[in-house]
Amino acid sequence: MLDYQDHSKVLLAVTDCQDNESDMREDVRECQYFLETKDGQWEPGIIENMTQSKRPRYTDDRCNPIVDSIAGEMEQNVFAIKVQSTGSAGSKETAETIEGLIRNIENISGASLVYSSVCRALVGSGLGGFEIVQDYIDADTFDQDLFIKPLEDFQNRVWFDEGSIMQDRSDAKWCIVIDEITLVDYEDQFPDGFKQSIGQGKRSEAYARKVDTIAVGRFLYKKPVDIEIIRMSNGAVYKLDDKFESIRDELQLAGIVPEVDEKGEEKTRKRKSHLVCQRYMDGGGWLGESEETVFNLLPVVPCYGNFKIIDRKVVYRGAINKVMDQQRVHNMAFSREVEDVVLAPKLKYWGTLEQRKGHGDTIKSLNTNSNPWQDYNHVDGQAPPFMQGGSQINPGLSALNINTADAINQAAGVFSAQQGNNVGLQSGVALEKQIDKGDISTRKYFTSFETAIRYAGKVIIGAIPKVYDATREQLILNEDGTNESVSLNRVVYDNETQQQVTLNDLSIGEYS
């Protein structure tokens, strides 16, 4: 097991992980450069050759519309996190409260924009993700909340331990998130730091003019812990901790006592769990002590496209990986076709000076006058004036241009009907069949994002009892979009049972 206190061993583990996954990360970077950078859809060698020969070079981008089509459809869907009780101590009402709380967390986090960004990264390059953090919702409050935060540039910032093979990385023992901060901010946050960046495993970069930064790592790891639980006479299950001991007397006054076995001893048992700890580091050493978090799962949520395990290696890709060659060929064919049209001689009449004599004014206005007849002077032994010139497009180039454009859509699993290109040209039934065919091809990206959202729900549910453990009025968001304020952990007297009860104690019960 990795010694999480040994900086050199942790740094070596991160470097090994970066090396092992470097090929996949380079593919992700190539896709992003291909989609976003100037001349990204051209090979450098061809750019150089065409520049030297002064040949025109144009980009007819057919790939970004594919990303827009698939990601746009994903953005129109609502990915809802549903919560249900998984034990006798849980209740449907508390599950609904947790569900409403999660919807409110998404709302205050602007999660729709975070999800949108992840969807586009997922489709475009095959990798994206976000994180869940604990923070104060307001500078002037003591109440903390959970937030969903973006993790842009995921391919350069986040690595999981190399033993992890689950698509949601739920089996990972650790991960690292690298933040690039300016030297001024570094000195403010870590005045005793080593000012050595952590390597990010990059072999290529698209942009040269960037701010000077130091790469600092947030190392997150799971610390194994044993949790002892106790079952009460009302069926509720509590963790045997300080919080339970503080309310044991109140429970006893309400007639709620621990269940006992045949020996008269309290029924308890231990179960294995984890506590996620966090520690900052740079390339030179630790930048502080390890801190416990409120999470029992790593709060970093990856999202992979076309996720597979091949030869015990994690592989993934987006919708563009397999179409880049077709796009490059298409750009070349398109540029050559444009060149042929632009450089082709214009359509002209050919004749002799004798044939034109006296008719110069009308000949000059051939393209503007409406006279259906044009006179010329007949000269014996000379052929009449004739028309010649105009665009002579290479039919092979035209066919290549059309075929590569179609091949791009076919390889990406997107069809013209999905992009609205065939409207009015095909029957409604034919359009629906094309759309259905495309939906089947792109369904895998929806499934990938659902996997990420499901894991995010598990992380949030596990952290909620620790974050929302104090008596407070909490806003929740109902399924219909309306707001509602509920009391959390408030002890009240129930006139019907003549007992004190705790409203919405989110630490009681198990939920998934």
Side-chain angles (χ1 to χ4, degrees):
M1 182 176 175
L2 179 63
D3 183 356
Y4 298 131
Q5 306 307 314
D6 190 322
H7 176 270
S8 61
K9 290 182 179 179
V10 169
L11 190 60
L12 180 61
V14 172
T15 303
D16 287 344
C17 185
Q18 291 174 338
D19 291 342
N20 293 337
E21 204 175 337
S22 61
D23 54 347
M24 299 307 305
R25 297 299 177 100
E26 282 298 313
D27 287 347
V28 172
R29 294 182 190 107
E30 184 182 8
C31 285
Q32 291 189 332
Y33 298 160
F34 185 87
L35 289 170
E36 303 298 339
T37 60
K38 182 182 179 182
D39 292 331
Q41 296 181 9
W42 287 85
E43 296 177 79
I46 294 178
I47 291 176
E48 184 178 355
N49 291 338
M50 296 184 75
T51 301
Q52 290 177 352
S53 60
K54 297 182 180 180
R55 303 287 295 276
R57 176 169 45 83
Y58 305 104
T59 300
D60 182 26
D61 183 4
R62 300 299 180 104
C63 291
N64 271 294
I66 290 174
V67 176
D68 291 339
S69 175
I70 301 174
E73 188 176 356
M74 295 175 71
E75 291 167 355
Q76 290 178 345
N77 285 266
V78 177
F79 294 85
I81 298 175
K82 307 294 288 183
V83 181
Q84 60 184 8
S85 170
T86 57
S88 58
S91 68
K92 181 180 178 182
E93 293 74 17
T94 303
E96 290 176 350
T97 298
I98 295 174
E99 215 173 274
L101 186 53
I102 292 175
R103 282 192 290 267
N104 188 63
I105 290 170
E106 292 179 313
N107 183 51
I108 62 177
S109 303
S112 59
L113 295 177
V114 178
Y115 295 162
S116 174
S117 176
V118 173
C119 287
R120 291 185 176 274
L122 165 69
V123 176
S125 64
L127 178 62
F130 56 93
E131 65 177 329
I132 299 154
V133 301
Q134 176 193 17
D135 201 355
Y136 294 100
I137 191 171
D138 192 291
D140 297 324
T141 181
F142 289 97
D143 291 334
Q144 291 198 332
D145 280 272
L146 294 171
F147 296 89
I148 295 170
K149 294 286 185 71
L151 273 175
E152 303 291 357
D153 208 24
F154 196 92
Q155 73 282 355
N156 294 322
R157 297 180 59 198
V158 181
W159 280 268
F160 295 86
D161 80 81
E162 55 189 350
S164 167
I165 58 173
M166 297 291 289
Q167 184 169 354
D168 57 10
R169 299 292 191 171
S170 57
D171 59 336
K173 297 181 179 65
W174 59 264
C175 75
I176 188 169
V177 180
I178 295 178
D179 299 310
E180 291 192 64
I181 60 178
T182 65
L183 181 59
V184 173
D185 290 338
Y186 180 94
E187 291 175 343
D188 286 343
Q189 296 180 45
F190 312 108
D192 299 324
F194 302 90
K195 298 182 181 179
Q196 296 181 24
S197 286
I198 293 179
Q200 295 173 278
K202 289 191 287 186
R203 294 183 300 194
S204 61
E205 291 189 352
Y207 302 98
R209 300 176 65 86
K210 296 185 295 184
V211 177
D212 290 333
T213 58
I214 295 178
V216 174
R218 284 184 285 136
F219 184 69
L220 297 146
Y221 63 94
K222 292 178 180 176
K223 183 173 73 172
V225 293
D226 289 327
I227 295 179
E228 191 171 10
I229 57 177
I230 184 169
R231 184 180 177 89
M232 308 301 286
S233 56
N234 65 343
V237 177
Y238 289 87
K239 294 177 185 177
L240 273 175
D241 55 15
D242 293 341
K243 181 178 179 181
F244 171 75
E245 295 300 335
S246 68
I247 63 171
R248 183 191 281 265
D249 293 341
E250 287 80 359
L251 291 173
Q252 188 171 2
L253 289 173
I256 303 173
V257 295
E259 289 186 355
V260 295
D261 56 20
E262 60 276 3
K263 297 181 180 179
E265 297 177 352
E266 294 180 349
K267 272 189 179 180
T268 63
R269 74 175 180 88
K270 290 184 178 181
R271 64 177 176 87
K272 299 291 184 181
S273 184
H274 294 96
L275 180 63
V276 175
C277 298
Q278 173 178 282
R279 196 171 188 182
Y280 283 89
M281 60 183 289
D282 66 7
W286 297 115
L287 299 175
E289 296 300 319
S290 180
E291 300 175 352
E292 294 183 354
T293 72
V294 297
F295 302 103
N296 55 19
L297 294 171
L298 295 174
V300 178
V301 185
C303 193
Y304 298 94
N306 296 281
F307 182 91
K308 294 180 180 67
I309 303 294
I310 301 178
D311 293 338
R312 195 56 176 74
K313 180 179 176 65
V314 173
V315 297
Y316 45 88
R317 61 176 175 83
I320 303 303
N321 295 65
K322 300 295 185 180
V323 304
M324 290 193 290
D325 287 343
Q326 293 97 315
Q327 176 67 63
R328 291 179 178 122
V329 174
H330 177 75
N331 286 340
M332 293 177 65
F334 177 74
S335 298
R336 182 65 183 275
E337 191 173 4
V338 170
E339 181 183 14
D340 281 2
V341 172
V342 172
L343 297 183
K346 293 184 178 180
L347 193 65
K348 295 182 179 181
Y349 282 95
W350 291 72
T352 65
L353 292 174
E354 292 90 342
Q355 292 171 333
R356 190 182 68 177
K357 189 175 181 179
H359 304 290
D361 292 340
T362 56
I363 291 175
K364 288 180 180 179
S365 62
L366 277 176
N367 64 327
T368 57
N369 72 61
S370 59
N371 192 343
W373 183 267
Q374 174 61 47
D375 293 323
Y376 78 99
N377 301 318
H378 174 72
V379 180
D380 291 337
Q382 295 182 4
F386 60 93
M387 186 182 296
Q388 184 170 303
S391 327
Q392 299 295 322
I393 301 175
N394 186 329
L397 281 177
S398 297
L400 183 61
N401 197 358
I402 294 171
N403 290 340
T404 51
D406 186 56
I408 291 170
N409 287 340
Q410 293 281 351
V414 176
F415 301 92
S416 295
Q418 286 178 290
Q419 297 175 308
N421 296 337
N422 286 4
V423 176
L425 302 178
Q426 289 180 310
S427 68
V429 174
L431 287 173
E432 287 181 3
K433 287 185 176 180
Q434 269 205 333
I435 292 173
D436 290 342
K437 187 177 180 181
D439 288 345
I440 293 171
S441 299
T442 58
R443 171 64 196 170
K444 55 192 174 183
Y445 298 107
F446 286 77
T447 304
S448 294
F449 191 64
E450 287 169 0
T451 301
I453 290 292
R454 186 182 300 112
Y455 177 70
K458 293 178 181 179
V459 174
I460 294 173
I461 289 172
I464 276 177
K466 296 182 180 179
V467 177
Y468 303 89
D469 61 343
T471 301
R472 61 192 282 187
E473 291 296 316
Q474 177 62 44
L475 196 68
I476 65 172
L477 194 62
N478 296 318
E479 202 164 1
D480 60 2
T482 59
N483 293 324
E484 180 183 348
S485 182
V486 298
S487 296
L488 299 183
N489 308 300
R490 186 180 300 280
V491 179
V492 298
Y493 185 78
D494 187 350
N495 292 321
E496 186 175 342
T497 61
Q498 302 293 305
Q499 294 178 348
Q500 288 185 326
V501 296
T502 303
L503 299 177
N504 294 312
D505 186 347
L506 304 183
S507 65
I508 299 178
E510 299 289 332
Y511 299 88
S512 69

